[in-house]
Amino acid sequence: MEETGKKVIFSGIQPSGNLTIGNYLGALKNWVKLQDEYDCYYCVVDLHAITARQEPKDLRRRTLEILAIYLAAGLDPEKNTMFIQSHVSAHTEAAWLLNCNTYVGELSRMTQYKTKSSKFGNDTSISAGLLNYPVLMASDILLYQTDLVPVGLDQKQHLELTRNIAERFNNAYSPTFKIPEPYIPKEGSKIMDLQEPLKKMSKSSENPNSFILLMDPPEVIKKKISRAVTDSIGIVKYSDEQPGVKNLMNILNTLTGESFDCIEKKYAGKGYAEFKEDVATAIINEFEPIQNKVEMILADKTNLEKIYKAGAEKANYIANKTLRKMQKKIGFIPVSK
Ligand code: AMP
Ligand code: TRP
């Protein structure tokens, strides 16, 4: 397998729901920009998705849909390694080895774990997978000797934990892993809920008006943006006092590149209606071509299969190299040939 000498990028999205504009602007759009400069591994993290119960047929459909969205958004299968996490068993094997070098205390302090587990109240049937989830993420990243991990702001804490686990392992067993850096974009790294703009937009929200999906038809996008919560101030201004407007300005800026200053001037004295219409149009202009391509890509299952098979082959080779190193250092007896 050729060594490119390029720095390595790893990232992934869970097929646990439909992709939102948050996933797109916080992660996917940046991946496309990085594909020429780096050796990129983009994964559909199906093992992560099962920390919450998934309907098998929905999981199957969404896994392929996410891969199709990666392609439709502009990721080139010739340049990037695109694969499905469960096709590379080294991820789960390495996760066990890393679990034995991770503390329950640090896992139970993760914000995402605290938020998700608090929803259970007194019910103790929280899956151990939910607690261990960041260790699997660390294993994804470390197996590829990753330099950079492009993610949204919500994943920063998991990245820090990954670095701590890697350093602990390196110190205990001699240098084994590269220590990865997060790559969090200045804009778009935290798209907020359209109905409660102080909360992160999430695909698992119960109110569909609170998120825009990458696959939402234009009329739905228009309706959701027109219903987005703003305020009674009535001025388009980038301010913490106006979190709803700020969020829409962030979306517009990330999509069109227009500065906040420029946006403020353009809508001065005009109220919110025209501003919202333009935000919706910018989203539709970005999403429509992707949506059309997704349908085409999904219609050709043979081609999709070719792509994820080739991706798994390359990923298996690299991941197993690191896994063997880990096993040897820990003191496992190598399988004789
Ligand atoms: P997930 O859907 O949890 O698999 O997240 C996939 C990627 O999207 C990760 O890099 C997240 O950080 C990013 N992401 C998720 N929600 C948002 C959001 N509201 N704003 C920005 N990035 C997000
Ligand atoms: N945990 C990430 C999320 O919920 C998804 C993910 C899994 C990931 N493994 C990863 C992201 C490795 C970056 C690198 O968004």
Side-chain angles (χ1 to χ4, degrees), residues 10-12 14 45 48 85 91 95 98 112 132-143 146 149-152 154-162 165 180:
F10 188 100
S11 200
Q14 303 181 55
V45 289
H48 276 97
Q85 190 185 26
H91 290 236
L98 295 178
Q112 185 174 308
N132 288 318
Y133 169 112
V135 185
L136 180 60
M137 179 163 165
S139 141
D140 298 343
I141 296 167
L142 299 176
L143 281 173
T146 301
V149 185
V151 281
D154 61 326
Q155 295 302 314
K156 190 166 174 233
Q157 201 183 33
H158 292 159
L159 247 299
E160 275 156 16
L161 179 66
T162 300
I165 297 173

PDB file of all heavy atoms in Angstrom, residues 10-12 14 45 48 85 91 95 98 112 132-143 146 149-152 154-162 165 180:
ATOM      1  N   PHE A  10      -8.882  11.881   9.890  1.00  0.00           N
ATOM      2  CA  PHE A  10      -9.936  10.892  10.107  1.00  0.00           C
ATOM      3  C   PHE A  10     -11.163  11.616  10.635  1.00  0.00           C
ATOM      4  O   PHE A  10     -11.064  12.467  11.521  1.00  0.00           O
ATOM      5  CB  PHE A  10      -9.505   9.838  11.138  1.00  0.00           C
ATOM      6  CG  PHE A  10     -10.502   8.702  11.248  1.00  0.00           C
ATOM      7  CD1 PHE A  10     -10.280   7.493  10.606  1.00  0.00           C
ATOM      8  CD2 PHE A  10     -11.696   8.874  11.954  1.00  0.00           C
ATOM      9  CE1 PHE A  10     -11.225   6.465  10.671  1.00  0.00           C
ATOM     10  CE2 PHE A  10     -12.635   7.854  12.017  1.00  0.00           C
ATOM     11  CZ  PHE A  10     -12.401   6.645  11.385  1.00  0.00           C
ATOM     12  N   SER A  11     -12.343  11.274  10.100  1.00  0.00           N
ATOM     13  CA  SER A  11     -13.580  11.761  10.714  1.00  0.00           C
ATOM     14  C   SER A  11     -14.729  10.827  10.344  1.00  0.00           C
ATOM     15  O   SER A  11     -14.586   9.988   9.447  1.00  0.00           O
ATOM     16  CB  SER A  11     -13.880  13.202  10.297  1.00  0.00           C
ATOM     17  OG  SER A  11     -14.780  13.776  11.229  1.00  0.00           O
ATOM     18  N   GLY A  12     -15.840  11.001  11.040  1.00  0.00           N
ATOM     19  CA  GLY A  12     -16.975  10.127  10.782  1.00  0.00           C
ATOM     20  C   GLY A  12     -18.285  10.750  11.229  1.00  0.00           C
ATOM     21  O   GLY A  12     -18.306  11.687  12.024  1.00  0.00           O
ATOM     22  N   GLN A  14     -22.361   9.435  12.399  1.00  0.00           N
ATOM     23  CA  GLN A  14     -23.169   8.276  12.770  1.00  0.00           C
ATOM     24  C   GLN A  14     -24.430   8.173  11.909  1.00  0.00           C
ATOM     25  O   GLN A  14     -25.106   9.176  11.739  1.00  0.00           O
ATOM     26  CB  GLN A  14     -23.692   8.440  14.188  1.00  0.00           C
ATOM     27  CG  GLN A  14     -22.657   8.649  15.219  1.00  0.00           C
ATOM     28  CD  GLN A  14     -23.326   8.779  16.567  1.00  0.00           C
ATOM     29  OE1 GLN A  14     -24.077   7.917  16.997  1.00  0.00           O
ATOM     30  NE2 GLN A  14     -23.075   9.878  17.237  1.00  0.00           N
ATOM     31  N   VAL A  45     -19.879   5.750  10.841  1.00  0.00           N
ATOM     32  CA  VAL A  45     -19.613   5.064  12.106  1.00  0.00           C
ATOM     33  C   VAL A  45     -20.866   4.345  12.627  1.00  0.00           C
ATOM     34  O   VAL A  45     -21.511   4.765  13.574  1.00  0.00           O
ATOM     35  CB  VAL A  45     -18.979   6.007  13.160  1.00  0.00           C
ATOM     36  CG1 VAL A  45     -17.547   6.345  12.762  1.00  0.00           C
ATOM     37  CG2 VAL A  45     -19.747   7.304  13.340  1.00  0.00           C
ATOM     38  N   HIS A  48     -20.957   3.203  16.308  1.00  0.00           N
ATOM     39  CA  HIS A  48     -21.336   4.260  17.245  1.00  0.00           C
ATOM     40  C   HIS A  48     -22.849   4.434  17.300  1.00  0.00           C
ATOM     41  O   HIS A  48     -23.407   4.748  18.355  1.00  0.00           O
ATOM     42  CB  HIS A  48     -20.692   5.603  16.862  1.00  0.00           C
ATOM     43  CG  HIS A  48     -19.303   5.760  17.384  1.00  0.00           C
ATOM     44  ND1 HIS A  48     -18.192   5.495  16.623  1.00  0.00           N
ATOM     45  CD2 HIS A  48     -18.850   6.143  18.588  1.00  0.00           C
ATOM     46  CE1 HIS A  48     -17.108   5.713  17.356  1.00  0.00           C
ATOM     47  NE2 HIS A  48     -17.486   6.098  18.551  1.00  0.00           N
ATOM     48  N   GLN A  85     -17.551   1.616   9.261  1.00  0.00           N
ATOM     49  CA  GLN A  85     -16.755   1.261  10.447  1.00  0.00           C
ATOM     50  C   GLN A  85     -16.793  -0.240  10.767  1.00  0.00           C
ATOM     51  O   GLN A  85     -15.748  -0.834  11.054  1.00  0.00           O
ATOM     52  CB  GLN A  85     -17.305   2.064  11.633  1.00  0.00           C
ATOM     53  CG  GLN A  85     -16.490   2.036  12.904  1.00  0.00           C
ATOM     54  CD  GLN A  85     -17.237   2.786  14.005  1.00  0.00           C
ATOM     55  OE1 GLN A  85     -18.469   2.881  13.982  1.00  0.00           O
ATOM     56  NE2 GLN A  85     -16.506   3.314  14.967  1.00  0.00           N
ATOM     57  N   HIS A  91     -11.294  -1.816  14.692  1.00  0.00           N
ATOM     58  CA  HIS A  91     -11.831  -0.729  15.528  1.00  0.00           C
ATOM     59  C   HIS A  91     -12.354  -1.256  16.857  1.00  0.00           C
ATOM     60  O   HIS A  91     -12.107  -0.674  17.909  1.00  0.00           O
ATOM     61  CB  HIS A  91     -12.959   0.023  14.795  1.00  0.00           C
ATOM     62  CG  HIS A  91     -12.477   0.840  13.641  1.00  0.00           C
ATOM     63  ND1 HIS A  91     -12.711   2.174  13.513  1.00  0.00           N
ATOM     64  CD2 HIS A  91     -11.749   0.500  12.554  1.00  0.00           C
ATOM     65  CE1 HIS A  91     -12.155   2.624  12.399  1.00  0.00           C
ATOM     66  NE2 HIS A  91     -11.570   1.612  11.801  1.00  0.00           N
ATOM     67  N   ALA A  95     -10.549  -0.969  20.521  1.00  0.00           N
ATOM     68  CA  ALA A  95     -11.349  -0.286  21.548  1.00  0.00           C
ATOM     69  C   ALA A  95     -11.250  -1.029  22.880  1.00  0.00           C
ATOM     70  O   ALA A  95     -11.190  -0.409  23.943  1.00  0.00           O
ATOM     71  CB  ALA A  95     -12.802  -0.156  21.096  1.00  0.00           C
ATOM     72  N   LEU A  98      -7.927  -0.236  24.428  1.00  0.00           N
ATOM     73  CA  LEU A  98      -7.917   1.138  24.946  1.00  0.00           C
ATOM     74  C   LEU A  98      -8.826   1.278  26.173  1.00  0.00           C
ATOM     75  O   LEU A  98      -8.531   2.041  27.089  1.00  0.00           O
ATOM     76  CB  LEU A  98      -8.332   2.135  23.860  1.00  0.00           C
ATOM     77  CG  LEU A  98      -7.380   2.245  22.657  1.00  0.00           C
ATOM     78  CD1 LEU A  98      -7.924   3.229  21.628  1.00  0.00           C
ATOM     79  CD2 LEU A  98      -5.974   2.673  23.093  1.00  0.00           C
ATOM     80  N   GLN A 112     -21.364  14.846  26.784  1.00  0.00           N
ATOM     81  CA  GLN A 112     -22.362  14.129  25.985  1.00  0.00           C
ATOM     82  C   GLN A 112     -22.946  12.948  26.770  1.00  0.00           C
ATOM     83  O   GLN A 112     -24.152  12.703  26.736  1.00  0.00           O
ATOM     84  CB  GLN A 112     -21.724  13.644  24.680  1.00  0.00           C
ATOM     85  CG  GLN A 112     -22.712  12.988  23.743  1.00  0.00           C
ATOM     86  CD  GLN A 112     -22.088  12.648  22.393  1.00  0.00           C
ATOM     87  OE1 GLN A 112     -21.473  13.470  21.727  1.00  0.00           O
ATOM     88  NE2 GLN A 112     -22.242  11.414  21.983  1.00  0.00           N
ATOM     89  N   ASN A 132     -18.887   3.961  27.053  1.00  0.00           N
ATOM     90  CA  ASN A 132     -17.625   3.618  26.379  1.00  0.00           C
ATOM     91  C   ASN A 132     -17.445   4.233  24.992  1.00  0.00           C
ATOM     92  O   ASN A 132     -16.369   4.142  24.398  1.00  0.00           O
ATOM     93  CB  ASN A 132     -17.512   2.095  26.251  1.00  0.00           C
ATOM     94  CG  ASN A 132     -17.236   1.473  27.586  1.00  0.00           C
ATOM     95  OD1 ASN A 132     -16.443   1.985  28.364  1.00  0.00           O
ATOM     96  ND2 ASN A 132     -17.915   0.390  27.898  1.00  0.00           N
ATOM     97  N   TYR A 133     -18.496   4.844  24.495  1.00  0.00           N
ATOM     98  CA  TYR A 133     -18.511   5.428  23.152  1.00  0.00           C
ATOM     99  C   TYR A 133     -17.247   6.231  22.792  1.00  0.00           C
ATOM    100  O   TYR A 133     -16.660   6.036  21.718  1.00  0.00           O
ATOM    101  CB  TYR A 133     -19.792   6.266  23.111  1.00  0.00           C
ATOM    102  CG  TYR A 133     -20.048   7.220  22.009  1.00  0.00           C
ATOM    103  CD1 TYR A 133     -21.079   6.977  21.105  1.00  0.00           C
ATOM    104  CD2 TYR A 133     -19.330   8.404  21.875  1.00  0.00           C
ATOM    105  CE1 TYR A 133     -21.372   7.887  20.113  1.00  0.00           C
ATOM    106  CE2 TYR A 133     -19.613   9.308  20.885  1.00  0.00           C
ATOM    107  CZ  TYR A 133     -20.628   9.047  20.000  1.00  0.00           C
ATOM    108  OH  TYR A 133     -20.905   9.950  19.011  1.00  0.00           O
ATOM    109  N   PRO A 134     -16.744   7.115  23.686  1.00  0.00           N
ATOM    110  CA  PRO A 134     -15.546   7.883  23.287  1.00  0.00           C
ATOM    111  C   PRO A 134     -14.291   7.023  23.130  1.00  0.00           C
ATOM    112  O   PRO A 134     -13.352   7.437  22.441  1.00  0.00           O
ATOM    113  CB  PRO A 134     -15.347   8.878  24.435  1.00  0.00           C
ATOM    114  CG  PRO A 134     -16.609   8.876  25.223  1.00  0.00           C
ATOM    115  CD  PRO A 134     -17.249   7.546  25.012  1.00  0.00           C
ATOM    116  N   VAL A 135     -14.270   5.838  23.735  1.00  0.00           N
ATOM    117  CA  VAL A 135     -13.100   4.962  23.586  1.00  0.00           C
ATOM    118  C   VAL A 135     -13.090   4.362  22.176  1.00  0.00           C
ATOM    119  O   VAL A 135     -12.036   4.228  21.548  1.00  0.00           O
ATOM    120  CB  VAL A 135     -13.093   3.843  24.653  1.00  0.00           C
ATOM    121  CG1 VAL A 135     -11.818   3.034  24.561  1.00  0.00           C
ATOM    122  CG2 VAL A 135     -13.276   4.428  26.036  1.00  0.00           C
ATOM    123  N   LEU A 136     -14.284   4.043  21.684  1.00  0.00           N
ATOM    124  CA  LEU A 136     -14.385   3.554  20.304  1.00  0.00           C
ATOM    125  C   LEU A 136     -13.961   4.668  19.340  1.00  0.00           C
ATOM    126  O   LEU A 136     -13.262   4.427  18.354  1.00  0.00           O
ATOM    127  CB  LEU A 136     -15.824   3.095  20.014  1.00  0.00           C
ATOM    128  CG  LEU A 136     -16.102   2.549  18.623  1.00  0.00           C
ATOM    129  CD1 LEU A 136     -15.255   1.330  18.305  1.00  0.00           C
ATOM    130  CD2 LEU A 136     -17.595   2.200  18.464  1.00  0.00           C
ATOM    131  N   MET A 137     -14.347   5.873  19.665  1.00  0.00           N
ATOM    132  CA  MET A 137     -13.948   7.023  18.827  1.00  0.00           C
ATOM    133  C   MET A 137     -12.421   7.201  18.867  1.00  0.00           C
ATOM    134  O   MET A 137     -11.789   7.478  17.836  1.00  0.00           O
ATOM    135  CB  MET A 137     -14.671   8.270  19.330  1.00  0.00           C
ATOM    136  CG  MET A 137     -14.334   9.519  18.587  1.00  0.00           C
ATOM    137  SD  MET A 137     -15.557  10.796  18.915  1.00  0.00           S
ATOM    138  CE  MET A 137     -14.696  12.244  18.313  1.00  0.00           C
ATOM    139  N   ALA A 138     -11.836   7.023  20.034  1.00  0.00           N
ATOM    140  CA  ALA A 138     -10.373   7.126  20.153  1.00  0.00           C
ATOM    141  C   ALA A 138      -9.720   6.051  19.295  1.00  0.00           C
ATOM    142  O   ALA A 138      -8.726   6.296  18.596  1.00  0.00           O
ATOM    143  CB  ALA A 138      -9.956   6.970  21.613  1.00  0.00           C
ATOM    144  N   SER A 139     -10.303   4.863  19.325  1.00  0.00           N
ATOM    145  CA  SER A 139      -9.740   3.766  18.546  1.00  0.00           C
ATOM    146  C   SER A 139      -9.828   4.074  17.048  1.00  0.00           C
ATOM    147  O   SER A 139      -8.861   3.883  16.301  1.00  0.00           O
ATOM    148  CB  SER A 139     -10.455   2.481  18.963  1.00  0.00           C
ATOM    149  OG  SER A 139     -10.708   1.644  17.911  1.00  0.00           O
ATOM    150  N   ASP A 140     -10.965   4.629  16.591  1.00  0.00           N
ATOM    151  CA  ASP A 140     -11.101   5.036  15.177  1.00  0.00           C
ATOM    152  C   ASP A 140      -9.928   5.931  14.785  1.00  0.00           C
ATOM    153  O   ASP A 140      -9.294   5.752  13.749  1.00  0.00           O
ATOM    154  CB  ASP A 140     -12.359   5.908  14.960  1.00  0.00           C
ATOM    155  CG  ASP A 140     -13.665   5.216  15.269  1.00  0.00           C
ATOM    156  OD1 ASP A 140     -13.679   3.986  15.343  1.00  0.00           O
ATOM    157  OD2 ASP A 140     -14.678   5.936  15.453  1.00  0.00           O
ATOM    158  N   ILE A 141      -9.699   6.916  15.617  1.00  0.00           N
ATOM    159  CA  ILE A 141      -8.734   7.967  15.279  1.00  0.00           C
ATOM    160  C   ILE A 141      -7.293   7.451  15.361  1.00  0.00           C
ATOM    161  O   ILE A 141      -6.485   7.652  14.459  1.00  0.00           O
ATOM    162  CB  ILE A 141      -8.924   9.172  16.235  1.00  0.00           C
ATOM    163  CG1 ILE A 141     -10.318   9.786  16.023  1.00  0.00           C
ATOM    164  CG2 ILE A 141      -7.818  10.204  16.052  1.00  0.00           C
ATOM    165  CD1 ILE A 141     -10.736  10.771  17.108  1.00  0.00           C
ATOM    166  N   LEU A 142      -6.990   6.737  16.453  1.00  0.00           N
ATOM    167  CA  LEU A 142      -5.590   6.368  16.710  1.00  0.00           C
ATOM    168  C   LEU A 142      -5.083   5.276  15.772  1.00  0.00           C
ATOM    169  O   LEU A 142      -3.903   5.231  15.452  1.00  0.00           O
ATOM    170  CB  LEU A 142      -5.435   5.956  18.176  1.00  0.00           C
ATOM    171  CG  LEU A 142      -5.780   7.084  19.178  1.00  0.00           C
ATOM    172  CD1 LEU A 142      -5.702   6.577  20.610  1.00  0.00           C
ATOM    173  CD2 LEU A 142      -4.858   8.295  18.999  1.00  0.00           C
ATOM    174  N   LEU A 143      -5.981   4.395  15.321  1.00  0.00           N
ATOM    175  CA  LEU A 143      -5.553   3.304  14.436  1.00  0.00           C
ATOM    176  C   LEU A 143      -4.922   3.804  13.143  1.00  0.00           C
ATOM    177  O   LEU A 143      -4.123   3.108  12.514  1.00  0.00           O
ATOM    178  CB  LEU A 143      -6.748   2.409  14.087  1.00  0.00           C
ATOM    179  CG  LEU A 143      -7.164   1.395  15.149  1.00  0.00           C
ATOM    180  CD1 LEU A 143      -8.461   0.714  14.725  1.00  0.00           C
ATOM    181  CD2 LEU A 143      -6.070   0.357  15.375  1.00  0.00           C
ATOM    182  N   THR A 146      -3.601   9.319  13.002  1.00  0.00           N
ATOM    183  CA  THR A 146      -4.229  10.548  12.502  1.00  0.00           C
ATOM    184  C   THR A 146      -3.550  11.808  13.031  1.00  0.00           C
ATOM    185  O   THR A 146      -3.220  11.886  14.214  1.00  0.00           O
ATOM    186  CB  THR A 146      -5.721  10.529  12.929  1.00  0.00           C
ATOM    187  OG1 THR A 146      -6.336   9.369  12.367  1.00  0.00           O
ATOM    188  CG2 THR A 146      -6.453  11.778  12.481  1.00  0.00           C
ATOM    189  N   VAL A 149      -8.400  15.911  13.103  1.00  0.00           N
ATOM    190  CA  VAL A 149      -9.768  15.373  13.141  1.00  0.00           C
ATOM    191  C   VAL A 149     -10.761  16.527  12.948  1.00  0.00           C
ATOM    192  O   VAL A 149     -11.005  17.299  13.871  1.00  0.00           O
ATOM    193  CB  VAL A 149     -10.036  14.662  14.482  1.00  0.00           C
ATOM    194  CG1 VAL A 149     -11.402  13.996  14.465  1.00  0.00           C
ATOM    195  CG2 VAL A 149      -8.946  13.646  14.790  1.00  0.00           C
ATOM    196  N   PRO A 150     -11.316  16.684  11.732  1.00  0.00           N
ATOM    197  CA  PRO A 150     -12.267  17.774  11.514  1.00  0.00           C
ATOM    198  C   PRO A 150     -13.652  17.433  12.049  1.00  0.00           C
ATOM    199  O   PRO A 150     -14.324  16.542  11.539  1.00  0.00           O
ATOM    200  CB  PRO A 150     -12.288  17.933   9.983  1.00  0.00           C
ATOM    201  CG  PRO A 150     -11.809  16.632   9.441  1.00  0.00           C
ATOM    202  CD  PRO A 150     -11.037  15.910  10.506  1.00  0.00           C
ATOM    203  N   VAL A 151     -14.062  18.133  13.096  1.00  0.00           N
ATOM    204  CA  VAL A 151     -15.363  17.884  13.746  1.00  0.00           C
ATOM    205  C   VAL A 151     -15.973  19.211  14.201  1.00  0.00           C
ATOM    206  O   VAL A 151     -15.307  20.242  14.217  1.00  0.00           O
ATOM    207  CB  VAL A 151     -15.216  16.989  15.003  1.00  0.00           C
ATOM    208  CG1 VAL A 151     -15.083  15.532  14.653  1.00  0.00           C
ATOM    209  CG2 VAL A 151     -14.059  17.445  15.888  1.00  0.00           C
ATOM    210  N   GLY A 152     -17.233  19.135  14.614  1.00  0.00           N
ATOM    211  CA  GLY A 152     -17.893  20.287  15.217  1.00  0.00           C
ATOM    212  C   GLY A 152     -17.436  20.439  16.667  1.00  0.00           C
ATOM    213  O   GLY A 152     -16.808  19.535  17.239  1.00  0.00           O
ATOM    214  N   ASP A 154     -18.899  20.276  19.450  1.00  0.00           N
ATOM    215  CA  ASP A 154     -19.394  19.324  20.461  1.00  0.00           C
ATOM    216  C   ASP A 154     -18.463  18.125  20.658  1.00  0.00           C
ATOM    217  O   ASP A 154     -18.559  17.429  21.664  1.00  0.00           O
ATOM    218  CB  ASP A 154     -20.813  18.839  20.086  1.00  0.00           C
ATOM    219  CG  ASP A 154     -20.842  18.120  18.746  1.00  0.00           C
ATOM    220  OD1 ASP A 154     -20.077  18.501  17.838  1.00  0.00           O
ATOM    221  OD2 ASP A 154     -21.612  17.157  18.612  1.00  0.00           O
ATOM    222  N   GLN A 155     -17.577  17.880  19.686  1.00  0.00           N
ATOM    223  CA  GLN A 155     -16.704  16.708  19.794  1.00  0.00           C
ATOM    224  C   GLN A 155     -15.328  17.030  20.380  1.00  0.00           C
ATOM    225  O   GLN A 155     -14.473  16.155  20.505  1.00  0.00           O
ATOM    226  CB  GLN A 155     -16.531  16.049  18.411  1.00  0.00           C
ATOM    227  CG  GLN A 155     -17.820  15.467  17.854  1.00  0.00           C
ATOM    228  CD  GLN A 155     -18.402  14.429  18.789  1.00  0.00           C
ATOM    229  OE1 GLN A 155     -17.699  13.564  19.292  1.00  0.00           O
ATOM    230  NE2 GLN A 155     -19.703  14.516  19.049  1.00  0.00           N
ATOM    231  N   LYS A 156     -15.119  18.291  20.737  1.00  0.00           N
ATOM    232  CA  LYS A 156     -13.799  18.714  21.214  1.00  0.00           C
ATOM    233  C   LYS A 156     -13.376  17.923  22.459  1.00  0.00           C
ATOM    234  O   LYS A 156     -12.227  17.493  22.591  1.00  0.00           O
ATOM    235  CB  LYS A 156     -13.854  20.213  21.514  1.00  0.00           C
ATOM    236  CG  LYS A 156     -12.511  20.800  21.785  1.00  0.00           C
ATOM    237  CD  LYS A 156     -12.563  22.311  21.730  1.00  0.00           C
ATOM    238  CE  LYS A 156     -11.230  22.867  22.144  1.00  0.00           C
ATOM    239  NZ  LYS A 156     -11.351  23.856  23.205  1.00  0.00           N
ATOM    240  N   GLN A 157     -14.312  17.737  23.363  1.00  0.00           N
ATOM    241  CA  GLN A 157     -13.994  17.041  24.611  1.00  0.00           C
ATOM    242  C   GLN A 157     -13.582  15.579  24.337  1.00  0.00           C
ATOM    243  O   GLN A 157     -12.659  15.057  24.971  1.00  0.00           O
ATOM    244  CB  GLN A 157     -15.222  17.088  25.527  1.00  0.00           C
ATOM    245  CG  GLN A 157     -14.887  16.861  26.962  1.00  0.00           C
ATOM    246  CD  GLN A 157     -16.122  16.827  27.843  1.00  0.00           C
ATOM    247  OE1 GLN A 157     -17.198  16.389  27.422  1.00  0.00           O
ATOM    248  NE2 GLN A 157     -15.969  17.262  29.070  1.00  0.00           N
ATOM    249  N   HIS A 158     -14.263  14.940  23.379  1.00  0.00           N
ATOM    250  CA  HIS A 158     -13.893  13.560  23.039  1.00  0.00           C
ATOM    251  C   HIS A 158     -12.491  13.499  22.433  1.00  0.00           C
ATOM    252  O   HIS A 158     -11.764  12.526  22.608  1.00  0.00           O
ATOM    253  CB  HIS A 158     -14.919  12.957  22.075  1.00  0.00           C
ATOM    254  CG  HIS A 158     -16.264  12.737  22.699  1.00  0.00           C
ATOM    255  ND1 HIS A 158     -17.418  12.613  21.969  1.00  0.00           N
ATOM    256  CD2 HIS A 158     -16.619  12.623  24.003  1.00  0.00           C
ATOM    257  CE1 HIS A 158     -18.430  12.425  22.788  1.00  0.00           C
ATOM    258  NE2 HIS A 158     -17.977  12.429  24.026  1.00  0.00           N
ATOM    259  N   LEU A 159     -12.140  14.553  21.701  1.00  0.00           N
ATOM    260  CA  LEU A 159     -10.796  14.628  21.119  1.00  0.00           C
ATOM    261  C   LEU A 159      -9.737  14.767  22.210  1.00  0.00           C
ATOM    262  O   LEU A 159      -8.663  14.170  22.131  1.00  0.00           O
ATOM    263  CB  LEU A 159     -10.735  15.847  20.191  1.00  0.00           C
ATOM    264  CG  LEU A 159     -10.578  15.585  18.702  1.00  0.00           C
ATOM    265  CD1 LEU A 159      -9.286  14.863  18.423  1.00  0.00           C
ATOM    266  CD2 LEU A 159     -11.738  14.750  18.185  1.00  0.00           C
ATOM    267  N   GLU A 160     -10.053  15.577  23.211  1.00  0.00           N
ATOM    268  CA  GLU A 160      -9.099  15.733  24.315  1.00  0.00           C
ATOM    269  C   GLU A 160      -8.903  14.408  25.039  1.00  0.00           C
ATOM    270  O   GLU A 160      -7.784  14.031  25.388  1.00  0.00           O
ATOM    271  CB  GLU A 160      -9.579  16.825  25.277  1.00  0.00           C
ATOM    272  CG  GLU A 160      -9.143  18.190  24.790  1.00  0.00           C
ATOM    273  CD  GLU A 160     -10.003  19.333  25.304  1.00  0.00           C
ATOM    274  OE1 GLU A 160     -10.754  19.139  26.276  1.00  0.00           O
ATOM    275  OE2 GLU A 160      -9.918  20.415  24.702  1.00  0.00           O
ATOM    276  N   LEU A 161      -9.996  13.690  25.233  1.00  0.00           N
ATOM    277  CA  LEU A 161      -9.887  12.381  25.881  1.00  0.00           C
ATOM    278  C   LEU A 161      -9.031  11.429  25.028  1.00  0.00           C
ATOM    279  O   LEU A 161      -8.180  10.699  25.545  1.00  0.00           O
ATOM    280  CB  LEU A 161     -11.290  11.793  26.116  1.00  0.00           C
ATOM    281  CG  LEU A 161     -11.306  10.409  26.758  1.00  0.00           C
ATOM    282  CD1 LEU A 161     -10.762  10.449  28.177  1.00  0.00           C
ATOM    283  CD2 LEU A 161     -12.715   9.821  26.783  1.00  0.00           C
ATOM    284  N   THR A 162      -9.268  11.468  23.712  1.00  0.00           N
ATOM    285  CA  THR A 162      -8.473  10.630  22.792  1.00  0.00           C
ATOM    286  C   THR A 162      -6.987  10.911  22.967  1.00  0.00           C
ATOM    287  O   THR A 162      -6.162   9.999  23.050  1.00  0.00           O
ATOM    288  CB  THR A 162      -8.882  10.924  21.325  1.00  0.00           C
ATOM    289  OG1 THR A 162     -10.255  10.628  21.169  1.00  0.00           O
ATOM    290  CG2 THR A 162      -8.069  10.106  20.339  1.00  0.00           C
ATOM    291  N   ILE A 165      -5.770   9.394  26.257  1.00  0.00           N
ATOM    292  CA  ILE A 165      -5.637   7.931  26.193  1.00  0.00           C
ATOM    293  C   ILE A 165      -4.366   7.570  25.410  1.00  0.00           C
ATOM    294  O   ILE A 165      -3.592   6.694  25.807  1.00  0.00           O
ATOM    295  CB  ILE A 165      -6.892   7.289  25.544  1.00  0.00           C
ATOM    296  CG1 ILE A 165      -8.145   7.561  26.385  1.00  0.00           C
ATOM    297  CG2 ILE A 165      -6.697   5.798  25.319  1.00  0.00           C
ATOM    298  CD1 ILE A 165      -9.457   7.113  25.728  1.00  0.00           C
ATOM    299  N   PRO A 180      -3.348  13.163  17.991  1.00  0.00           N
ATOM    300  CA  PRO A 180      -4.124  13.934  17.005  1.00  0.00           C
ATOM    301  C   PRO A 180      -4.548  15.315  17.510  1.00  0.00           C
ATOM    302  O   PRO A 180      -4.687  15.526  18.714  1.00  0.00           O
ATOM    303  CB  PRO A 180      -5.355  13.060  16.789  1.00  0.00           C
ATOM    304  CG  PRO A 180      -5.523  12.343  18.088  1.00  0.00           C
ATOM    305  CD  PRO A 180      -4.154  12.132  18.665  1.00  0.00           C
TER     306      PRO A 180
END
